[in-house]
Amino acid sequence: MASEPIDDLAGGHAGVPRWQQALLPGAMRAAPDGRRSARDWFVDVLMFLLALGIGALLLAESWDDHTTATAAIDVVLGIAATIALWWRRRHPVAVAAGSGVLALAFAFPAGAALMAYFSAVLRVRVRALVALSLLGGGASITFPLLYPSQDPTSTEIAFGLMLTVVVLGWGLFVRVQRELVRSLHERTARAESEQRLRIEQAQAAERRRIAREMHDVLAHRVSLLSLHAGALEFRPDAPPAEIAEAAGVVRASARAALEDLRTVIGVLREEGADGNGAAAPEPPQPTLAQIPALVEQSRATGTRVGCRIDLAGLDGATVGDALGRTAYRIVQEGLTNAHKHAPAAAVEVAVVGLAAGDGAARTERGPSADGPRLVVEVVSRPAVGMPPPARGEMLPGAGTGLVGLRERVALAHGELVHGPDARGDFVLRAILPLMGAGR
């Protein structure tokens, strides 16, 4: 009769420390390889000792009913049944059935039969379990009949049946516990897999969205560059001042286009709704200039928002549209998180330009960098004495906003950090290098 192991948790407890995995059954470890764990060895030794002890006790009680030959056979069969317990995990039905049949007529194998029956309860199907339970009940009846003692036969039969029921109940309890652990593990693994999938989808969607945003800007830069280069080609006799002016425009357009191209490179564009590869038209995208309007929108909701935009440290360097959009999205995400998780907090928005070699004193927090850069920081300060909002009062979120923001900052070759600082304020800070500056 085939068996169906139910405690095989392949791939199991990857998050469980190694010393704790040693206390788990071998099949429930992170990488089951067929080897016994420390717990398995302990259980094996304990079962061998119990099987030998119970068998020896029953043999001693029925010794007077044995001849020398039958006693020797009883001992040999009992030792063989105890040794067979080594294979009870791989062949639970065969080991339990074989030792159970021997226990119908012999005393020493009864201890091994009881241990094998408990092990089979953990692993076999219901039909096999019923058959093994009937076999165990039969042994509880035949043993007092073959080896009567001073106690009434009915008492011994009742005790044997009760012992079989206790072992059955205990085994079913352990079985349910293992099934519960397996279901919880599978649920956790499925949740982790779904979360990884959501993060990957958010990253891919952010890449595609950035590519769509860059399409119109990059095309505009290249068209301007082509237009002025064409003017230089068809008017070689133009005055030197006009040639110099056109060359300057070409140089500026090429620098801006290179900055946009560095942002987009490696990003795959999604086919448009028409299926011909053309991206669907998008509305004009916000830049650095729209941050004050974004702050005013938050103020209109009652949020206390301070805003400081200081680009004087850039020494005349300009912030491109691509970098401005990234700064805008950082401020937008910071204000959104403040609205969701700390509606009563005071928010400070700082957009500061730092020149090459300048320290980070202007932001009071950010690290230094080599080249000119833009530091965008959103600090949320909880109100003093105001308890945090209850979970039911917080606005729901998918948890992928910061994932997309990190992807956007990485594409701008910047650095993003977020989390509480030493004062307990939540800080969202990005350091964005000006890629085209000084080139």
Side-chain angles (χ1 to χ4, degrees), residues 14-40:
V16 178
R18 184 181 300 273
W19 70 270
Q20 292 184 10
Q21 289 194 25
L23 302 180
L24 296 173
M28 296 177 67
R29 290 182 298 179
D33 51 6
R35 294 184 299 177
R36 285 171 164 78
S37 65
R39 177 191 177 278
D40 291 339

Side-chain angles (χ1 to χ4, degrees), residues 235-245:
R235 294 192 58 191
D237 56 344
E242 293 184 7
I243 293 178
E245 181 181 0

Side-chain angles (χ1 to χ4, degrees), residues 308-320:
R308 179 168 68 97
I309 301 179
D310 181 11
L311 305 182
L314 295 180
D315 295 334
T318 58
V319 178

Side-chain angles (χ1 to χ4, degrees), residues 11 53 74 84 108 176 208-209 215 234 279 320 329 366 394 396 421 429:
D74 204 323
F108 210 148
V176 169
R208 291 193 298 267
R209 192 172 69 84
H215 173 263
F234 289 104
R329 297 304 182 192
M394 296 172 59
D421 62 3
R429 183 193 314 113

